[in-house]
Every structure is written in C-alpha cells, then in structure tokens.
Amino acid sequence: MRPPVRSRYAIPRSASEARRLIENLVRAQFPAHHEAGPAAETVTDMLLVTSELVTNAIRHGGGVVGLWARLDADGLRLAVRDRSDDLPFVRARTPSDPVPIGGYGWPMIRRLASEVRVIPCPGGGKEIRVVLPVT
C-alpha cells in the first residue's frame, strides 16, 4: 500500500455524494491499474457503510455536520458527525412486529467494521468513527 492519502473532509448533502467522496479517495490511493488495490467487495463494503452512516445522520441525526475519511495501513478510517445526541441502537424484534421496516444498518456497520466508536461532541451531537479493513 502506498503512503496514506491526505485526509478528506466534507459535508455531503446526500449518501450518493458521500459515496463519490470515498470512491475518489480510493482512486487517489490506488491510481494505476497495475497497483494492487482493495478487492471489489471491500470497496462495496466501504461504500455501503458510508451510505448507511450518512443516511442515518440525515434521517435520524439532524443532518451531517461533517465527514472525514482517510486510507492508511489499517484500512479506511471514516467518521461521520451529526447534530443528534441520540446513540445508534439495534431495533428490537417483537412477536407482533418480527420484521420491522428499517433497523438493519447499524448491525451491518458493526459487522463490517473492525472498529466502531461513537463519540459525543462538545456542544452536542456525535461522531461515529469506523475502520474498514482493506483486503
């Protein structure tokens, strides 16, 4: 792997905009076809987790306040900050509603990431930081 690409910071307005930022970061890290880059499945996982974090920040967190990403020897380090103090949670399944709509993103993020941290922000809101290994 080449030396880490400089960090990227942005305030995406949509999940698709955030995915483009991550795709561009991966292309900047692995620009040549002959240079070994992450497997296609790994990039898909990166984009899926990015999309889930940004979508959740928009839907449940009062909007995205910032997105920070960097590729290094550990993988993709990604942080998404929103305005809400509410922590992510796993939606409980009940006998009356065994398969509710939604509630699958947070468990998926936790399964795909090698590290997940939720950090309260001074003045309110939170930042969710994940590390996704590059394989």
Side-chain angles (χ1 to χ4, degrees):
M1 179 179 238
R2 299 173 60 203
V5 169
R6 248 189 9 243
S7 302
R8 303 265 172 115
Y9 178 81
I11 302 176
R13 294 177 302 242
S14 67
S16 63
E17 185 178 335
R19 286 191 306 270
R20 276 193 303 278
L21 290 166
I22 299 307
E23 283 178 312
N24 291 339
L25 182 67
V26 171
R27 281 194 194 109
Q29 183 74 14
F30 305 100
H33 293 297
H34 67 275
E35 191 170 349
E41 295 83 9
T42 299
V43 175
T44 299
D45 289 349
M46 291 174 177
L47 299 177
L48 184 57
V49 169
T50 299
S51 193
E52 286 294 328
L53 287 172
V54 169
T55 298
N56 287 346
I58 292 168
R59 285 187 183 163
H60 309 294
V64 177
V65 177
L67 177 145
W68 173 88
R70 177 179 82 181
L71 275 166
D72 63 22
D74 294 327
L76 174 68
R77 294 183 180 277
L78 175 66
V80 176
R81 185 175 285 194
D82 67 32
R83 293 181 172 89
S84 175
D85 296 331
D86 295 339
L87 300 177
F89 64 93
V90 176
R91 184 176 294 181
R93 309 303 189 225
T94 64
S96 63
D97 193 8
V99 187
I101 295 173
Y104 298 100
W106 185 241
M108 181 200 58
I109 289 165
R110 294 180 54 94
R111 192 170 43 252
L112 293 175
S114 60
E115 293 178 36
V116 178
R117 294 176 57 202
V118 181
I119 302 163
C121 297
K126 67 183 166 299
E127 184 171 281
I128 299 178
R129 296 180 187 175
V130 299
V131 177
L132 297 157
V134 173
T135 55

